[in-house]
Amino acid sequence: MRWFRRARPHGAVFAAVAVVAALVTGTVIALLGALDAAADDGVRRGLATRSGADLALRATLPAAGDVEAQDAAMRAAISRALASLSTPPEVSRSAVAEAAVEVPGPLERLEALVLIDEGLQGHAELVDGRWAAGAGELTMQADAAAALALGVGDTVVVAGTPTLLTGTWQVTDALDPRWLGDERITDGRGRAAVPIVLGEVDVRALESERVHWTVAPDVTRVTAADLAAAQTGWPRLRSALRAEGVDPARLSTTGGFTDTAAELLAQVQGMRAIAPVVLLLVATAAVVTIAELARLAGASRAPELALLWSRGRSATANAVEAASLGAGAAVIGGVVGTFAAWASAAWWGRPSSVPLPTVSSTVAMLALVAAAGFWIGAARASRPHGADASGAGRASRLVAPGAAVLLTLAAATAVWQLQLYGSPITVQADGEASVDPVTAFAPALALVAIVFVGLTALPAMMRPFERLSRRSAATGMLTAHNVSRRLPRLTASIVVVGVATGTLVTAAAYQATWADGFERVSAFRSGADILATASGGGFRPQQLEVLDARPSVAAVFPLQHAQLQVRDGSAALVAAPPAALPTLVAPVREAIDADALAESLPVDAPGVVIPEGVEAVVLEADTRHLSADPVVTVLVLDSGGRLTRVTAEVSGSGDPATGRSITATSPVPASARDGHAQVLAVDVDLADDAVIADEARFVPTAWTDATGGSLTAFAERQWSPRGGEMVIVAPLPLSEGGFGAAPGVTNVRLMPDADDSAGLFRPPIAVTRSLADRYDLAIGDTFSFAVERSYARIDGEVVAIVPAVPSAGDADAVLIDLTVLQLDAVLTTEFPRAPNALWIQEAETDAAADVRRALPPNTALSYADDSAERAVVGSAALAVWGAGALCCLLALVTLAAVASAEHRARMPEIGLLRALGFRAREQASSRRGEWIAVLACAVIIGLLAGFVVGALTVPQLASAAIPGVDLGLGTPLRLDVTGLAIALAALVLVCAASVTWVSASVARDARIVRGPEGLR
């Protein structure tokens, strides 16, 4: 009770301390909880865009004799390794083996992937027939069976045993993590291992039986902490297995979940890099506010404490009592704020995840700051003449410059280090990235330092106004005089309002800078609305056609991503069809001038243009001394950059020895019927023993379309064989076109007569500004490089220098027409590489899920507008605004406390002014003018501080929260003018409410106070 009696006369100040502590504690809990929730939500949304191996891990061992013991040991080892996961993952067991298979047709002997999985039927559905039910029966993956021309009722020899094909099946969900993206199982790709299920398994007849344990975390419940636990826990599987008594020597692990976790955690790290900065802003605002309230309390209690000192009470006793009062108020407020934050989180259905030690340390810090501040204030006020306002003013004028100097030195050091590193995230000696504590202090220290510098300079700035006011009315002179005289008592208001204003400016700058940088970097990382990257093998033409058929997809363009080898290192290469550039997302189009690049980058391919509307190209040719008709394949390049191999239907008549006429009909792909596509080459593949005499020949005689109309452009060109690395025995070019073949000639590529190197001689290229600076390149210069897995060295002519190359993923990059790589491949390889990436333009805003289902498992998707990533790293911007909102609330509380203390202390002044003839309205106007002048100065100082802090620290802070900012795009400073205007308007309303209350209180008391003693 004594504690309350001591605090009651100055209850406004102690109540303000409690409210500040409650607000700060609650805000810390809310911010940390919100950031954790945002990280978890973003991680789950990110996982929802993945499939197949990206969502699973797999452990494989050779099958053991005791199946159940091996299974139990592996499951126990997995549980031990992943014990830190909040939710146990699903673990499924399956077994596979190999067996030799003989099927009717040209591919007589194959390998079969025998699936020994009792749960398969629950995850697959029959396409035809029934499931194998006993010995001598099997079912086969439907796509593989169709590729082998097998149907229900056919006989397949498996491991030497004739087996009846009773049915074909497909998995119900090719994106299910249990398949780990194995395309042999999901869509039957790879004839070398045909997926089959036997009705009765005799493992003795099979080879290499292996057991898989597939681990699939629950992506709907996984947290960011779970990703880190999986990253660190999965590598410990070997030791965990050894602890279960199993030799891990033959253990193999696969799956991409740990890689997915690393990618998503990089986004979380960007958000968490800003969390310490925000918390330090909050902590700094809290420390400054409590310190200023403590100083106000000391000034308000000065008469009381001086009286106690004069009666024999020591200054230490006064300081101890004041410290206990301040610390007690802070503890009470902190506890109330903690329970309020926990209750609010529980009510919203998101119980707080902030650990108790963090909350306890926050309350302890606030109590310690309050105790120290009130101790110092009481000790100063208890000295002789402690009630002398002029002495207190002189002391304050000495303290403020010293604090400003110290804060400026600390802020300069922190800002210098942040500028030096370019980001608050630094890489330690062990390769781990962490937030540098010095750089994290930079915004808070710089903000407070500038506010204190402005506070120190304020008295000198007020003197000219006081001199000017001498020519004004009495009310004006009184206002100016009181502002200058009472500045030390109003320091708390100036500081908290200045800090609040500066924090709002910093938040507006961070929001706009981060949003602009994130949008540009995300756009350049993907290029188009969606970037699809193959996990291996590239994309087949059929898969592009599937995407074409999706109503949510507007356009699909193939890409080749590769590494360049240059004279002193490497760079990235993006080979894309120029026609795709104008379809890229707006930030990319504007930054690289896509329309101009689309005109300057194309190269001329040496093919023959297919007339518009032609549905089939028919080649008539004469052959001689070939025992079998050749396989004819046409290489078609459409205007969208797709290079398609079209196998012709071949028919013929005549004697192979004396002469045979054949007709090869090649359907034109739908994408190549616009009048801009070309036939680059015709492949004529001969069987190993097809050439029966040295005079064997293949001579084109006519070219027509499906209706028999002549294709004049084709007929006018002479089609001759081209050499290259694919040729073992070279064919003989014939004067009339075509080729002669000797025994040993198998694969011949016919190309139209033209300079086939035209597209490879100094092709136009665009280079990034970073690469241009690295090699001192300018427009018109030649840049020479080699492409990985290519025999050619390209001497490109620089036609453009761009900020970044879309989807390159590297600041040093080159953009080139995809046709250049395709021509190089046509000239040097038998099978040109399939594109390993796609630019996909959306026709609908929700096309991502549709595209995900249309593409093979394990395809990596990147989005120009990645909502999952934005949800994670964007929460940092909201946290900065949260810090600004807290500062506004602290300003409100402080203004109320200062106004109440000031009003109580100046009650005698009100009576004196009334006795001198000042009416109530004049006194209210004077007091209102005082507060407006003080708060205006505070806002101006805060604006200046915010703009300086924004310019010095915000670009570096924003870059830490933008994954992929190393593309060379930078993070130029921006300002959210609308957001800042709204926030400042709210702060002005808070200040206006305080001023209105003060003036109303003065007017009311001026009407009833009867004398200078201030008694009513």
Side-chain angles (χ1 to χ4, degrees), residues 881-944:
W881 276 116
L886 172 66
C887 290
C888 288
L889 292 176
L890 296 182
L892 174 62
V893 173
T894 305
L895 287 176
V898 172
S900 176
E902 273 284 285
H903 186 65
R904 180 184 179 86
R906 297 177 69 178
M907 284 293 290
E909 178 184 323
I910 294 176
L912 179 61
L913 290 175
R914 181 175 178 180
L916 292 174
F918 282 86
R919 290 174 295 181
R921 187 177 63 182
E922 293 174 331
Q923 291 195 47
S925 175
S926 176
R927 190 71 60 86
R928 183 166 56 248
E930 293 175 23
W931 277 94
I932 291 175
V934 168
L935 295 178
C937 291
V939 170
I940 292 173
I941 293 173
L943 287 174
L944 177 63

Side-chain angles (χ1 to χ4, degrees), residues 16 112-113 140 184 271 298 346 359 379 382 432 509 568 575 641 720-721 729 737 766 802 845 896 981 983 993:
L113 180 69
M140 183 179 293
R184 296 174 300 178
M271 174 269 292
V359 178
S382 298
E432 292 293 327
D568 63 349
S720 304
V729 179
V802 295
T845 56

Side-chain angles (χ1 to χ4, degrees), residues 485-512:
R485 182 173 61 89
R486 305 193 67 84
L487 269 179
R489 297 284 297 259
L490 299 174
T491 297
S493 301
I494 297 172
V495 171
V496 294
V497 173
V499 170
T501 305
T503 305
L504 292 177
V505 175
T506 303
Y510 180 86
Q511 168 72 43

